[in-house]
Amino acid sequence: MKFNRRAFMGTSVAATAAMSAPMVMGAAHGKPRVIVIGGGAGGATAARYIAKDSEGAIDVTLIEPTRVYYTCFFSNIYLGGFRDLASIGHSYGTLAAKYGINVVHDWAVGVDRDAKTVTLAGGSSLPYDRLVISPGIDFIDGAVPGWDLSSQNKMPHAYKAGSQTELLKAQIMAMPQGGTFAMVAPPNPFRCPPGPYERVSMVAHLLKDINPTAKILIADPKEKFSKQGLFEDGWSTHYDGMIERIGPDFGGNNVEVRPDAMELVIDGEVEKIDVCNVIPAMKSGRICEIAGVTDGNWAPVHAATMASKADENIHVLGDSSAQGDMPKSGFSANSQAKVCAMAIRGALTDSPVFPAKFSNTCWSLIETDDGIKVGASYEATEEKIAKTDGFISKTGEDAALRKATYEESVGWYSGIAADMFS
Ligand SMILES: Cc1cc2nc3c(=O)[nH]c(=O)nc-3n(C[C@H](O)[C@H](O)[C@H](O)COP(=O)(O)OP(=O)(O)OC[C@H]3O[C@@H](n4cnc5c(N)ncnc54)[C@H](O)[C@@H]3O)c2cc1C
């Protein structure tokens, strides 16, 4: 007998109010099966919550190629020298040992939505009742003329953390005295809106110490950017004269790079540079395209469940999703994953589901103990994840408050890492 999704969806909705303990919905193959593609902020959280809250009633398989996940969050803090790389690396052992999650270290390379199977690079094919996809971002080919993935060792993006971040740091450390660090900033929408500007702050912090006559040049296609007033205020306080940003008015949107010659061309003008951090325009992780759940660049979802608008048995989380007002952040992905896990657990085990609520805060460090933040709460509407209220740090805050804000971010990091991996 085949699993009848329509029938169980009806039952599940009716029983939602019954507040019963997890109960397995009758799937002919035994326990309902959930596959999660991507073990990052969205995927690891979703896998952990589905397994934990269903108390073993759902079979959860997590597919992730890497054995150690380096968080992009706090990777800028590593660049600035406030943390070592090991402190932002996390492995999957506890998810397997404590929650019985089947962790498969491989790439998902195919999704057959009719057969409801996922194909792995290793050749196997795994069946699912629900599929969660949280693969982060990929770069749009040709977005920065002169740059493609084959240039990423000469001009690193460091927008997927790990060896790229380590490489960028090594290049900064080896810069000649008085040299130039250049960044090609991405257009909207992109992963972590304050990320490039926190990175500039951390590079400036490092250079101020080891290479005080060095310069930082940002070519930026955007008119404005996240927490701009706060960053610019901090840059003039801590790094006066070191950082120059060229926005679209002066050609920051007309850029070419020449990795072999180490040149950055801004509006026809050639700049010789020593390190070039190219952060190209982004789109959803490639597996979303393969699964056929994107509108071109991103994967539209229903806000209340994070279910794909193209297929209700597939949920897309985090950076890859087009969900509405939330920024693409680890905090957002983690928040969306819990809503999604609850919806899947509710549907597959006939257990209670509560209204979706989301929240996000993005902290950034400008200089030692000078932390700032922006954040908001959100709710699910028919149309999208909609912002309900928000807050942002102010210029002129006293040093004690800025220090407390940074310390809050350190606490947040420990909390989200535990929420994903422990
Ligand atoms: C420099 C920087 C600083 C940042 N700072 C912050 C911060 O301070 N706070 C914050 O909240 N956010 C921050 N972010 C953003 C945050 O890292 C991302 O928004 C978040 O990681 C998104 O989660 P995700 O699950 O969508 O993707 P990811 O966390 O990137 O996880 C995706 C996972 O999917 C895997 N994957 C991809 N394709 C496949 C496939 N085909 N098969 C199997 N696995 C696959 C990848 O290996 C990866 O492990 C920062 C980002 C950057 C770049």
Side-chain angles (χ1 to χ4, degrees):
M1 194 180 86
K2 269 201 137 188
F3 183 70
N4 182 329
R5 185 186 45 75
R6 282 219 163 76
F8 100 58
M9 280 294 280
T11 320
S12 144
V13 170
T16 291
M19 307 291 283
S20 57
M23 176 184 93
V24 182
M25 298 304 289
H29 47 62
K31 288 183 191 179
R33 291 172 293 210
V34 174
I35 293 181
V36 180
I37 299 176
T45 309
R48 180 173 174 272
Y49 272 81
I50 294 167
K52 178 167 79 73
D53 293 349
S54 71
E55 296 166 15
I58 297 175
D59 253 0
V60 181
T61 297
L62 176 63
I63 303 165
E64 164 61 48
T66 65
R67 284 168 194 276
V68 176
Y69 170 83
Y70 289 97
T71 59
C72 281
F73 24 113
F74 274 37
S75 65
N76 287 332
I77 307 299
Y78 155 75
L79 283 180
F82 294 90
R83 287 211 162 207
D84 60 20
L85 196 66
S87 75
I88 59 166
H90 305 271
S91 56
Y92 296 90
T94 305
L95 293 185
K98 193 164 163 188
Y99 304 106
I101 295 169
N102 178 28
V103 180
V104 178
H105 289 298
D106 203 345
W107 288 95
V109 294
V111 175
D112 183 332
R113 281 165 42 189
D114 293 328
K116 292 211 225 160
T117 56
V118 174
T119 313
L120 305 185
S124 45
S125 173
L126 306 176
Y128 66 81
D129 297 305
R130 292 289 176 108
L131 173 62
V132 178
I133 313 184
S134 194
I137 49 102
D138 272 310
F139 301 115
I140 296 177
D141 289 340
V144 177
W147 192 94
D148 62 25
L149 279 180
S150 71
S151 351
Q152 69 175 357
N153 281 359
K154 286 197 173 121
M155 295 189 169
H157 53 78
Y159 237 62
K160 297 183 182 189
S163 57
Q164 275 278 300
T165 327
E166 234 179 339
L167 173 65
L168 184 63
K169 181 154 184 178
Q171 291 182 351
I172 298 165
M173 301 297 283
M175 258 172 70
Q177 289 298 308
T180 301
F181 170 96
M183 171 186 280
V184 177
N188 291 321
F190 66 99
R191 156 177 282 189
C192 192
Y197 311 98
E198 180 186 56
R199 175 170 293 173
V200 162
S201 310
M202 290 296 92
V203 173
H205 166 80
L206 194 59
L207 291 175
K208 194 165 94 170
D209 191 28
I210 60 167
N211 192 345
T213 53
K215 295 274 177 248
I216 296 177
L217 180 64
I218 313 165
D220 201 333
K222 301 180 292 298
E223 291 285 352
K224 47 193 176 103
F225 62 87
S226 172
K227 297 186 264 192
Q228 182 165 358
L230 293 159
F231 277 114
E232 288 179 343
D233 184 56
W235 293 347
S236 69
T237 305
H238 302 298
Y239 314 115
D240 195 25
M242 190 184 241
I243 301 166
E244 181 189 2
R245 174 175 170 270
I246 300 178
D249 294 354
F250 294 94
N253 56 350
N254 180 20
V255 164
E256 179 196 334
V257 292
R258 296 174 183 158
D260 289 332
M262 282 309 284
E263 287 174 353
L264 167 62
V265 188
I266 304 176
D267 222 16
E269 217 164 286
V270 180
E271 304 277 349
K272 270 281 181 200
I273 62 213
D274 298 288
V275 176
C276 193
N277 176 206
V278 177
I279 311 176
M282 296 169 206
K283 59 180 181 176
S284 61
R286 169 114 179 83
I287 191 69
C288 292
E289 282 167 29
I290 292 170
V293 293
T294 73
D295 61 2
N297 284 344
W298 306 104
V301 293
H302 295 288
T305 57
M306 300 302 292
S308 161
K309 289 190 175 168
D311 186 330
E312 56 194 325
N313 294 311
I314 296 181
H315 301 248
V316 185
L317 304 178
D319 293 352
S320 281
S321 65
Q323 35 70 22
D325 296 346
M326 296 189 90
K328 296 184 187 299
S329 75
F331 199 135
S332 297
N334 171 263
S335 182
Q336 293 158 12
K338 291 184 225 179
V339 166
C340 169
M342 180 176 59
I344 290 178
R345 194 236 323 120
L348 297 182
T349 67
D350 193 20
S351 51
V353 173
F354 304 99
K357 296 267 182 237
F358 307 84
S359 57
N360 178 64
T361 302
C362 288
W363 289 269
S364 304
L365 186 62
I366 304 179
E367 173 55 297
T368 308
D369 287 336
D370 192 359
I372 55 172
K373 63 181 176 182
V374 60
S377 303
Y378 305 83
E379 65 184 14
T381 68
E382 279 297 307
E383 187 206 345
K384 62 176 184 174
I385 298 182
K387 182 173 168 181
T388 50
D389 59 54
F391 56 87
I392 185 166
S393 298
K394 296 182 177 48
T395 51
E397 284 169 344
D398 67 35
L401 179 55
R402 289 297 179 90
K403 184 167 189 282
T405 302
Y406 172 60
E407 282 163 1
E408 201 178 275
S409 76
V410 175
W412 166 77
Y413 186 91
S414 305
I416 190 173
D419 211 31
M420 292 165 65
F421 293 109
S422 74

PDB file of all heavy atoms in Angstrom, residues 194-206:
ATOM      1  N   PRO A 194      25.279  42.385   6.883  1.00  0.00           N
ATOM      2  CA  PRO A 194      26.406  43.156   7.443  1.00  0.00           C
ATOM      3  C   PRO A 194      27.760  42.465   7.262  1.00  0.00           C
ATOM      4  O   PRO A 194      28.794  43.042   7.627  1.00  0.00           O
ATOM      5  CB  PRO A 194      26.079  43.246   8.948  1.00  0.00           C
ATOM      6  CG  PRO A 194      24.862  42.412   9.178  1.00  0.00           C
ATOM      7  CD  PRO A 194      24.537  41.671   7.943  1.00  0.00           C
ATOM      8  N   GLY A 195      27.773  41.226   6.725  1.00  0.00           N
ATOM      9  CA  GLY A 195      28.993  40.405   6.699  1.00  0.00           C
ATOM     10  C   GLY A 195      30.196  41.064   6.041  1.00  0.00           C
ATOM     11  O   GLY A 195      31.296  41.060   6.607  1.00  0.00           O
ATOM     12  N   PRO A 196      30.039  41.658   4.829  1.00  0.00           N
ATOM     13  CA  PRO A 196      31.217  42.267   4.190  1.00  0.00           C
ATOM     14  C   PRO A 196      31.778  43.425   5.013  1.00  0.00           C
ATOM     15  O   PRO A 196      32.999  43.645   5.015  1.00  0.00           O
ATOM     16  CB  PRO A 196      30.656  42.775   2.848  1.00  0.00           C
ATOM     17  CG  PRO A 196      29.436  41.940   2.598  1.00  0.00           C
ATOM     18  CD  PRO A 196      28.866  41.659   3.955  1.00  0.00           C
ATOM     19  N   TYR A 197      30.918  44.142   5.704  1.00  0.00           N
ATOM     20  CA  TYR A 197      31.335  45.370   6.397  1.00  0.00           C
ATOM     21  C   TYR A 197      31.928  45.036   7.770  1.00  0.00           C
ATOM     22  O   TYR A 197      32.853  45.694   8.230  1.00  0.00           O
ATOM     23  CB  TYR A 197      30.137  46.345   6.438  1.00  0.00           C
ATOM     24  CG  TYR A 197      29.571  46.411   5.032  1.00  0.00           C
ATOM     25  CD1 TYR A 197      28.461  45.646   4.659  1.00  0.00           C
ATOM     26  CD2 TYR A 197      30.258  47.117   4.039  1.00  0.00           C
ATOM     27  CE1 TYR A 197      28.017  45.622   3.340  1.00  0.00           C
ATOM     28  CE2 TYR A 197      29.828  47.096   2.712  1.00  0.00           C
ATOM     29  CZ  TYR A 197      28.706  46.347   2.375  1.00  0.00           C
ATOM     30  OH  TYR A 197      28.296  46.305   1.059  1.00  0.00           O
ATOM     31  N   GLU A 198      31.419  43.966   8.391  1.00  0.00           N
ATOM     32  CA  GLU A 198      32.091  43.461   9.585  1.00  0.00           C
ATOM     33  C   GLU A 198      33.474  42.929   9.182  1.00  0.00           C
ATOM     34  O   GLU A 198      34.455  43.125   9.904  1.00  0.00           O
ATOM     35  CB  GLU A 198      31.286  42.344  10.252  1.00  0.00           C
ATOM     36  CG  GLU A 198      32.006  41.819  11.497  1.00  0.00           C
ATOM     37  CD  GLU A 198      31.349  40.618  12.126  1.00  0.00           C
ATOM     38  OE1 GLU A 198      31.161  39.589  11.414  1.00  0.00           O
ATOM     39  OE2 GLU A 198      31.014  40.684  13.312  1.00  0.00           O
ATOM     40  N   ARG A 199      33.541  42.282   8.017  1.00  0.00           N
ATOM     41  CA  ARG A 199      34.831  41.744   7.555  1.00  0.00           C
ATOM     42  C   ARG A 199      35.840  42.875   7.364  1.00  0.00           C
ATOM     43  O   ARG A 199      36.988  42.763   7.794  1.00  0.00           O
ATOM     44  CB  ARG A 199      34.654  40.954   6.259  1.00  0.00           C
ATOM     45  CG  ARG A 199      35.976  40.484   5.699  1.00  0.00           C
ATOM     46  CD  ARG A 199      35.796  39.507   4.575  1.00  0.00           C
ATOM     47  NE  ARG A 199      35.209  38.263   5.057  1.00  0.00           N
ATOM     48  CZ  ARG A 199      34.811  37.275   4.269  1.00  0.00           C
ATOM     49  NH1 ARG A 199      34.918  37.390   2.959  1.00  0.00           N
ATOM     50  NH2 ARG A 199      34.288  36.162   4.773  1.00  0.00           N
ATOM     51  N   VAL A 200      35.405  43.952   6.723  1.00  0.00           N
ATOM     52  CA  VAL A 200      36.296  45.102   6.534  1.00  0.00           C
ATOM     53  C   VAL A 200      36.789  45.604   7.896  1.00  0.00           C
ATOM     54  O   VAL A 200      37.973  45.905   8.075  1.00  0.00           O
ATOM     55  CB  VAL A 200      35.558  46.217   5.754  1.00  0.00           C
ATOM     56  CG1 VAL A 200      36.251  47.561   5.917  1.00  0.00           C
ATOM     57  CG2 VAL A 200      35.475  45.839   4.273  1.00  0.00           C
ATOM     58  N   SER A 201      35.892  45.664   8.877  1.00  0.00           N
ATOM     59  CA  SER A 201      36.274  46.123  10.217  1.00  0.00           C
ATOM     60  C   SER A 201      37.335  45.204  10.817  1.00  0.00           C
ATOM     61  O   SER A 201      38.319  45.673  11.411  1.00  0.00           O
ATOM     62  CB  SER A 201      35.060  46.143  11.153  1.00  0.00           C
ATOM     63  OG  SER A 201      33.977  46.817  10.568  1.00  0.00           O
ATOM     64  N   MET A 202      37.138  43.897  10.664  1.00  0.00           N
ATOM     65  CA  MET A 202      38.085  42.944  11.259  1.00  0.00           C
ATOM     66  C   MET A 202      39.432  42.956  10.524  1.00  0.00           C
ATOM     67  O   MET A 202      40.484  42.798  11.146  1.00  0.00           O
ATOM     68  CB  MET A 202      37.470  41.531  11.258  1.00  0.00           C
ATOM     69  CG  MET A 202      36.309  41.365  12.224  1.00  0.00           C
ATOM     70  SD  MET A 202      36.786  41.560  13.970  1.00  0.00           S
ATOM     71  CE  MET A 202      36.498  43.290  14.260  1.00  0.00           C
ATOM     72  N   VAL A 203      39.397  43.146   9.201  1.00  0.00           N
ATOM     73  CA  VAL A 203      40.656  43.256   8.444  1.00  0.00           C
ATOM     74  C   VAL A 203      41.387  44.524   8.883  1.00  0.00           C
ATOM     75  O   VAL A 203      42.603  44.519   9.090  1.00  0.00           O
ATOM     76  CB  VAL A 203      40.377  43.252   6.917  1.00  0.00           C
ATOM     77  CG1 VAL A 203      41.655  43.543   6.140  1.00  0.00           C
ATOM     78  CG2 VAL A 203      39.792  41.916   6.488  1.00  0.00           C
ATOM     79  N   ALA A 204      40.640  45.613   9.072  1.00  0.00           N
ATOM     80  CA  ALA A 204      41.256  46.871   9.520  1.00  0.00           C
ATOM     81  C   ALA A 204      41.864  46.700  10.912  1.00  0.00           C
ATOM     82  O   ALA A 204      42.973  47.182  11.183  1.00  0.00           O
ATOM     83  CB  ALA A 204      40.214  47.988   9.525  1.00  0.00           C
ATOM     84  N   HIS A 205      41.165  45.984  11.776  1.00  0.00           N
ATOM     85  CA  HIS A 205      41.684  45.732  13.128  1.00  0.00           C
ATOM     86  C   HIS A 205      43.033  45.007  13.046  1.00  0.00           C
ATOM     87  O   HIS A 205      43.989  45.362  13.739  1.00  0.00           O
ATOM     88  CB  HIS A 205      40.667  44.909  13.922  1.00  0.00           C
ATOM     89  CG  HIS A 205      41.225  44.325  15.180  1.00  0.00           C
ATOM     90  ND1 HIS A 205      41.359  45.060  16.336  1.00  0.00           N
ATOM     91  CD2 HIS A 205      41.710  43.084  15.450  1.00  0.00           C
ATOM     92  CE1 HIS A 205      41.908  44.291  17.268  1.00  0.00           C
ATOM     93  NE2 HIS A 205      42.126  43.092  16.763  1.00  0.00           N
ATOM     94  N   LEU A 206      43.083  43.994  12.191  1.00  0.00           N
ATOM     95  CA  LEU A 206      44.311  43.203  12.037  1.00  0.00           C
ATOM     96  C   LEU A 206      45.428  44.059  11.433  1.00  0.00           C
ATOM     97  O   LEU A 206      46.564  44.071  11.924  1.00  0.00           O
ATOM     98  CB  LEU A 206      43.986  42.027  11.102  1.00  0.00           C
ATOM     99  CG  LEU A 206      44.943  40.877  10.997  1.00  0.00           C
ATOM    100  CD1 LEU A 206      45.155  40.233  12.355  1.00  0.00           C
ATOM    101  CD2 LEU A 206      44.375  39.832  10.021  1.00  0.00           C
TER     102      LEU A 206
END
